[in-house]
């Protein structure tokens, strides 16, 4: 039987790097928010952006300039799934939906996952993918 990591919680620094006025420490984000932020950062990071981990990230930006259709949607879904499974051990991925939005030249992405080690309901993260230059 595979062992499952048990944890009391997860904590990351806030991307704003604001200082807490009471204790003058950097503001942190915890548990569900920290993991959702991590997943979003993984998806939007291009391989090569992190100096000491050049493979980290996904190649979705390369695909966003293709025609919006179900084939491209499947490629995006597979890339997001692979990235999360490879680089985010704190989650157990349940489902990734990548729905083409033809009117806005975008894809609506919905990621459903369970957090390993803490008792919370399944989490859902939603965002839009649009080609930008």
């Amino acid at each position: 039987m595979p062992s499952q990591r048990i944890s009391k919680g997860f904590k990351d620094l806030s991307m704003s790097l604001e200082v807490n006025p009471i204790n003058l420490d950097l503001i942190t984000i915890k548990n569900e928010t920290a993991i959702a932020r991590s997943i979003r950062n993984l998806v939007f990071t291009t391989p090569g952006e992190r100096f000491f981990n050049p493979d980290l990230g996904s190649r979705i930006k390369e695909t966003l300039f293709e025609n919006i259709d179900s084939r491209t949607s499947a490629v995006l879904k597979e890339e997001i799934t692979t990235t999360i499974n490879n680089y985010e051990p704190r989650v157990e991925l349940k489902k990734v939906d990548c729905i083409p939005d033809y009117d806005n030249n975008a894809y609506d992405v919905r990621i459903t996952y369970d957090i390993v080690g803490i008792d919370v309901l399944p989490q859902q993260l939603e965002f839009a993918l649009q080609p930008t230059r």
Side-chain angles (χ1 to χ4, degrees):
M1 182 166 111
S3 62
Q4 195 173 29
R5 187 168 75 180
I6 305 294
S7 177
K8 294 182 181 174
F10 303 105
K11 187 187 298 187
D12 287 336
L13 292 176
S14 173
M15 296 295 286
S16 66
L17 296 176
E18 292 180 31
V19 176
N20 184 330
I22 296 172
N23 60 10
L24 301 178
D25 281 343
L26 291 175
I27 294 177
T28 59
I29 53 176
K30 298 178 183 175
N31 296 332
E32 298 92 347
T33 307
I35 292 174
R37 178 80 50 87
S38 174
I39 290 172
R40 185 169 163 70
N41 287 342
L42 279 173
V43 170
F44 285 104
T45 298
T46 303
E49 281 186 46
R50 301 268 178 103
F51 292 119
F52 298 106
N53 196 351
D55 297 329
L56 182 79
S58 70
R59 301 185 190 285
I60 61 165
K61 291 180 183 175
E62 297 170 6
T63 310
L64 288 176
F65 288 98
E66 300 293 328
N67 291 330
I68 295 185
D69 57 11
S70 59
R71 181 177 292 161
T72 306
S73 179
V75 170
L76 288 170
K77 177 180 175 178
E78 182 63 31
E79 184 64 29
I80 291 169
T81 301
T82 302
T83 300
I84 293 171
N85 286 334
N86 288 341
Y87 297 109
E88 187 49 85
R90 302 178 289 181
V91 302
E92 182 180 317
L93 193 60
K94 295 295 184 190
K95 186 177 181 183
V96 175
D97 293 320
C98 189
I99 303 157
D101 182 0
Y102 300 104
D103 294 334
N104 295 317
N105 193 30
Y107 292 91
D108 295 324
V109 177
R110 182 180 309 120
I111 302 170
T112 307
Y113 57 92
D114 286 329
I115 300 175
V116 175
I118 59 175
D119 290 329
V120 293
L121 295 173
Q123 301 294 304
Q124 191 167 331
L125 177 63
E126 297 181 15
F127 53 87
L129 292 175
Q130 290 183 309
T132 56
R133 296 183 191 255

